[in-house]
Amino acid sequence: MAAKKSSTPNRAFKVADQIQRDLTELIARELKDPRVGMVTLQGVEVTPDYAHAKVFFSLLTGDPVETQAALNQAAGFLRNGLFKRLHIHTVPTLHFVFDRTSERAADMNALIAKAVSSRAKDD
């Protein structure tokens, strides 16, 4: 029984990883919505019962609000595509969430560069 418990989180991770890879391909090849620009999937979190998956994405171009609406609108279509690809009993309902991590990282890098350059001037 103990061995089965330790393999469950690993399985959830594998399923999330596979969902991320398959969704990346489905969005690029199958989704024809003009509101969806250059999307990068940052990660997928699957609930323990596999009923829901949060899909975190970032954008190179486009409006985050419009893109999130378009992806959530296409969630049923994308889920259907996953049904055909994934060999698991339950394919989760997809919930797309805009991930601002890369945006915040760029802001932090700019602040650090500014601090370093102002320090250099003081020396």
Side-chain angles (χ1 to χ4, degrees):
M1 204 60 150
K4 192 164 181 103
K5 267 193 170 176
S6 67
S7 70
T8 305
N10 194 23
R11 181 172 187 267
F13 177 77
K14 284 181 179 175
V15 168
D17 188 53
Q18 190 59 50
I19 287 172
Q20 184 174 344
R21 279 186 276 154
D22 287 348
L23 274 178
T24 298
E25 206 171 292
L26 282 167
I27 290 169
R29 293 188 182 166
E30 309 283 327
L31 199 59
K32 304 289 185 235
D33 193 319
R35 296 174 294 171
V36 178
M38 302 275 292
V39 172
T40 302
L41 300 185
Q42 302 292 353
V44 175
E45 287 176 9
V46 182
T47 57
D49 61 357
Y50 299 106
H52 299 273
K54 263 190 191 173
V55 183
F56 297 93
F57 71 93
S58 65
L59 280 176
L60 199 57
T61 60
D63 179 351
V65 176
E66 272 189 22
T67 302
Q68 185 169 331
L71 287 171
N72 281 313
Q73 202 174 345
F77 168 78
L78 293 169
R79 184 175 183 232
N80 201 18
L82 287 176
F83 264 118
K84 295 171 187 165
R85 292 162 175 256
L86 293 174
H87 303 290
I88 59 174
H89 183 63
T90 307
V91 174
T93 301
L94 304 172
H95 307 277
F96 289 89
V97 180
F98 181 60
D99 182 7
R100 295 190 181 280
T101 306
S102 53
E103 221 174 73
R104 285 196 295 262
D107 291 345
M108 285 302 252
N109 284 338
L111 285 172
I112 291 167
K114 192 174 176 184
V116 168
S117 71
S118 71
R119 178 181 260 173
K121 286 178 192 164
D122 293 344
D123 286 351

